[in-house]
Amino acid sequence: MKEQKKWPISHEGVYQEIRFLDDSVVQVEFYVNENTFKERLKLFFIKNQRSSLRVRLFNFSLKVLSCLLYMVRVLLDDPQEERQDWSIGGEGVRSISGEGVLVAFISFFETMLLVYLSYKGNVWEQVLRVPFILEMISAVPFVITVILPSLRNLFIPVFLNCWLAKHALENMINDLHRAIQRTHSAMFNQVLILICTLVCLMFTCICGIQHLERAGNNLTLFDSLYFCVVTFSTVGFGDVTPQIWPSQLLVVIMICVALIVLPIQFEQLAFLWMERQKSGGNYSRYRAQTEKHVVLCVSCLKIDLLMDFLNEFFAHPRLQDYYVVILCPAEMDVQVRRVLHVPLWAQRVIYLQGSALKDQDLMRAKMDDAEACFILSNRFEVDRFAADHQTILRAWAVKDFAPNCPLYVQILKPENKFHVKFADHVVCEEEFKYAMLALNCVCPATSTLITLLIHSSRGQ
């Protein structure tokens, strides 16, 4: 006899029957909130990275197009036919083209749709956002004047869409890097924000002064651009100046905004630059493809280890044109920094702060293009087993990331050689030391002879 069970999970769901081998049937209700129309729209406009990228690109194009249409209307307006009142503009809704109205309608509809999809119970959180307020200022009057033609003489600051374009560009860059599964540097993001802020400040000041001065000097866009460049660069020739108080007030406001916003962004950029200088930045991809380099991976870089490696490596005449990229998780100490500033090593040794266990740091060192990788241990380490464990992990990580890169590994304990047998060359310090002591017992002074032979002296 068949037994039927119901497991209620949600009021909004579908039932599916599951039949087992003993012919028993279980009816399960699955929650299908993702299949609602709102969730499908949210998936397309917000959650899905690729479709969200297309939406943001379309939004960015709309904002740029609205700014371009504004500039075209200003350039095509005849100053002789305009009314000399700073609150009225011929480029406003009074003489706006059908393309501008269409762009405003699309932007308004898209904004309201995104607000509806992003609503999480607090409407003020959505309404009081700066992008939403700017969108309402630049788009809602277009919708109103279509219904009420008597209000078409009002001026609409369409040029404020440049700030919305900046906001859309920042979101678009983030979606782009999430969609292609690549991380962009914080320096790139900060430089992009700084450039966009400068452009938006200049564009807002240019268009605002040009419109307000219709009742004064009746400046053109080029004259307004010239005034803004001269003013913000602190040159101040004085040949072009605003004549009426609204434009003068706008200049004061824009200067105050620039004095507040720009120093903050420059400070963040300088902080990121200093942090990047500490970490060493990245090894150039162009240099990695045109020049030969090797990577030295260490857990803690001491001056004795560094000098021994550099002197022995560059002693060979064939290695004079090689670059040495040091990958170390610790920050460079004073002695190492002083040595790397010496002209002999400054142009051939590059220090990168990072870990060989991270693919991102191996990418920075261009490990896949390296001629060889040297993984060295600190011979004065107290816990030699722990040092070998770190060396083994680094060797595995490098071999997994760049399997074709020749690997040279230094191991301290003989019993750990088995774990790095995949390396091209493995040198065990204790094994070599014990072998030297044994040879010295058979033939005295053998260790001294071999030590002198394997160390370079004056480049020989």
Side-chain angles (χ1 to χ4, degrees), residues 43-58 172 174-182:
L43 180 65
F44 180 80
F45 282 94
I46 299 177
K47 294 182 179 180
N48 188 279
Q49 297 171 356
R50 296 187 180 275
S51 60
S52 175
L53 176 61
R54 299 189 187 99
V55 172
R56 296 188 190 279
L57 179 60
F58 177 73
M172 186 175 63
N174 294 331
D175 287 344
L176 175 64
H177 286 86
R178 287 204 310 267
I180 63 179
Q181 298 297 322
R182 291 183 60 184

Side-chain angles (χ1 to χ4, degrees), residues 26 58 147-148 182 184 189 192 239 302 321 354 372 377 425:
V26 178
F58 177 73
I147 304 174
L148 301 175
R182 291 183 60 184
H184 62 287
N189 192 24
L192 177 66
D239 51 348
K302 300 298 182 181
D321 296 332
S377 302
H425 300 277

Side-chain angles (χ1 to χ4, degrees), residues 337-377:
R337 190 185 302 274
R338 188 182 300 115
V339 169
L340 294 184
H341 284 168
V342 175
L344 179 62
W345 311 119
Q347 302 299 327
R348 296 191 290 180
V349 181
I350 301 172
Y351 187 93
L352 302 181
Q353 184 178 353
S355 174
L357 302 179
K358 298 180 180 179
D359 289 347
Q360 184 178 0
D361 293 333
L362 294 177
M363 239 184 215
R364 291 171 52 209
K366 303 300 181 292
M367 183 66 73
D368 50 346
D369 295 327
E371 299 295 324
C373 176
F374 298 88
I375 302 179
L376 304 184
S377 302

Side-chain angles (χ1 to χ4, degrees), residues 422-433:
F422 54 83
D424 297 87
H425 300 277
V426 180
V427 177
C428 180
E429 180 179 323
E430 287 193 2
E431 188 179 60
F432 184 76
K433 180 173 61 176

